[in-house]
Amino acid sequence: MMAIYRRELRSYFRGVTGWLFSAFLLLFVGIYTMVYCLANGYPNFEYVMGNISFIFLICVPILTMRVFAEEKHRKTDQLLYSLPVSLSSVVLGKYLAMVTVLAVPALIACVYPLVLTGFGTVSLKLAYASIFFFFLLGACLLAVGMFISSVTDSQVASAVISLVAMLILYFMSGLASYVSTDARASVIALMVLSLVVALAVWLLTRSQALSIGLGVVLVGGLFFWYGFSPDTFSGLFPKMMEQISVFDRFYTIVDGMFDWTAAVYYLSIIGVFVFLTVQSLEKRRWS
C-alpha cells in the first residue's frame, strides 16, 4: 500500500495537480479571511471555512477523475490487478494520497486563526474544529468521487458525474423542502431508492438472484410497513434527505454546535465508498 501511496503522491506534486489544488483552496481561504475577518472585523474564522465549502464542487471532480478512469483509459489498470498486493491496498494507497493532498492546504489554513489573534479575540477551539471538519467533509467527498471514477472509463465522464453528485449533495437540504411530505410520496420515493440500491448491487456483483431478491425484500418490506403504519411515512423522505446531507452536518459545526457524531458519519461514508470502490475493481478484475 505504501508503494502505491508514494507513487500517487509523487504524481500529484511532481505535476501541477497537487500544487494547483492547494493554491486554489488557499486562495479562497485568503480572500474570505480578508473579507470576513479583516475588512468587516468578524473574529469568526469558522465562517470562512463554512463559506468556502462550495469549492469542493470544483476540486473533488478534478482531483478524483483521474484516479481509476485514467488507468482504464490507458489500459494500465491491468497492471494493478497483477501487482503482488490486494486491491484493498491499491484503493487505500490512492485514496490516502488524495487525502494527503487535501491535508496540505488544511494544515496551512491552521496558521490563519493564529495570525488573526493579533487583531482581536478569536475562538481557536471553534476555528480549528471547523478546519478539522472541513477536512473530514473533503475526505468524505473524495471517497465518493473515487468510487465514481472506478465505475467509469472516461475522465470526462467521471468529472461530470462527480460534479452532478457534488451538486446533489450540496443542495440536498434545499431540495428536501420541495419534496412532498405526503406519506404515499415518501413510500414511492423510498421504493425507487430501493430499486436503485438493487441495481447498484447488480452492477457490482452481476448476480441477478441477489439483486432481484434484495429489491423484492426492500420494496415488499416498505409496502407492508406502509400498510401497517402509514403515518410513519408522513414527511419521512424529506427528513431523511436533511439527515444525510453531508454539508449540513458541517454547517452545524460552523454555527458553533459541536456534534461529534458528524465525524462518525463522515468516517462511515468514507468506509462505505472505499469498500464499494474495492468491489467495483474486483468485479472488473474477474469480468
Side-chain angles (χ1 to χ4, degrees), residues 83-97:
L83 292 174
V85 294
S86 65
L87 285 179
S88 299
S89 298
V90 173
V91 172
L92 285 174
K94 285 177 171 286
Y95 176 69
L96 290 177

Side-chain angles (χ1 to χ4, degrees), residues 13 108 119 135 154 167 218 228 239 255 258:
F13 286 104
I108 296 175
F119 299 90
F135 170 75
S154 166
L167 286 171
L218 292 176
F228 179 75
K239 291 178 183 177
D255 290 336
F258 287 90

Side-chain angles (χ1 to χ4, degrees), residues 9 14 21 30 33-34 49 55 63 70 81 102 115 126 134 136 156 163 166 170-171 183 205 250 262 277 281 283:
L9 193 60
R14 283 183 176 176
F21 178 88
T33 299
M34 181 183 65
M49 304 309 295
I55 68 173
L63 194 61
E70 183 182 28
Y81 304 140
L102 172 63
V115 174
L126 191 54
F134 179 83
L136 281 183
V156 175
L163 176 60
M166 297 303 116
Y170 187 75
F171 293 108
T205 64
F250 172 61
T277 303
L281 295 180
K283 180 189 75 70

